[in-house]
Amino acid sequence: MPEWQTYLWLIRNRIRGWDFQSSLLGGRLFLGGVVADFLFSPPDWTPSMVWRVQGEFFHYESTQKQIEDILQRVTLENKGYVVVDILGNDIATNRDEVLNAALEGRQLFVSPFLD
């Protein structure tokens, strides 16, 4: 659901130059591949930026998933991508603030979940 709320926000705000569920580095076919929730790329976005919408349960309840997310982030950043993580709860409660910051490449964690 948070991914769809983000998708609709991007459409409503007429943001250009992005793809949804975009395969990078081999996608699901290769070890270390990535399916980016949202990929912003040139010519509209330089450098390229990846938004990862993070559901609190799926991404923060499992230590294994947290490690995978960290490794994925490092891999993407080493390839030159700006990576912005967005908490699902923040989309539900502070969508405009969080997504406007994300467009600037800034990551906000408004949710008290991570305090």
Side-chain angles (χ1 to χ4, degrees), residues 1-6 52-60 85-99 108-115:
M1 186 61 130
E3 287 92 351
W4 287 112
Q5 290 173 329
T6 302
R52 301 186 314 167
V53 178
Q54 310 279 8
E56 284 80 357
F57 177 78
F58 183 72
H59 288 273
Y60 294 101
D85 289 338
I86 302 167
L87 296 180
N89 190 51
D90 288 344
I91 293 169
T93 59
N94 300 291
R95 182 178 50 231
D96 289 337
E97 177 185 5
V98 169
L99 297 181
L108 297 182
F109 289 130
V110 179
S111 174
F113 177 79
L114 292 179
D115 288 346

Side-chain angles (χ1 to χ4, degrees), residues 18-110:
W18 57 274
D19 290 312
F20 180 63
Q21 296 291 309
S22 186
S23 292
L24 300 172
L25 312 174
R28 290 188 178 95
L29 298 177
F30 295 100
L31 183 63
V34 175
V35 176
D37 292 327
F38 296 90
L39 172 64
F40 298 80
S41 48
D44 297 299
W45 301 91
T46 303
S48 293
M49 180 169 47
V50 171
W51 285 6
R52 301 186 314 167
V53 178
Q54 310 279 8
E56 284 80 357
F57 177 78
F58 183 72
H59 288 273
Y60 294 101
E61 289 296 318
S62 160
T63 303
Q64 178 65 32
K65 184 60 182 157
Q66 289 177 28
I67 292 168
E68 290 170 7
D69 285 344
I70 290 167
L71 292 173
Q72 181 185 85
R73 181 184 193 101
V74 168
T75 300
L76 288 168
E77 288 175 342
N78 285 338
K79 295 287 185 183
Y81 293 94
V82 171
V83 179
V84 178
D85 289 338
I86 302 167
L87 296 180
N89 190 51
D90 288 344
I91 293 169
T93 59
N94 300 291
R95 182 178 50 231
D96 289 337
E97 177 185 5
V98 169
L99 297 181
N100 279 312
L103 286 174
E104 298 172 1
R106 295 184 302 116
Q107 180 171 297
L108 297 182
F109 289 130
V110 179

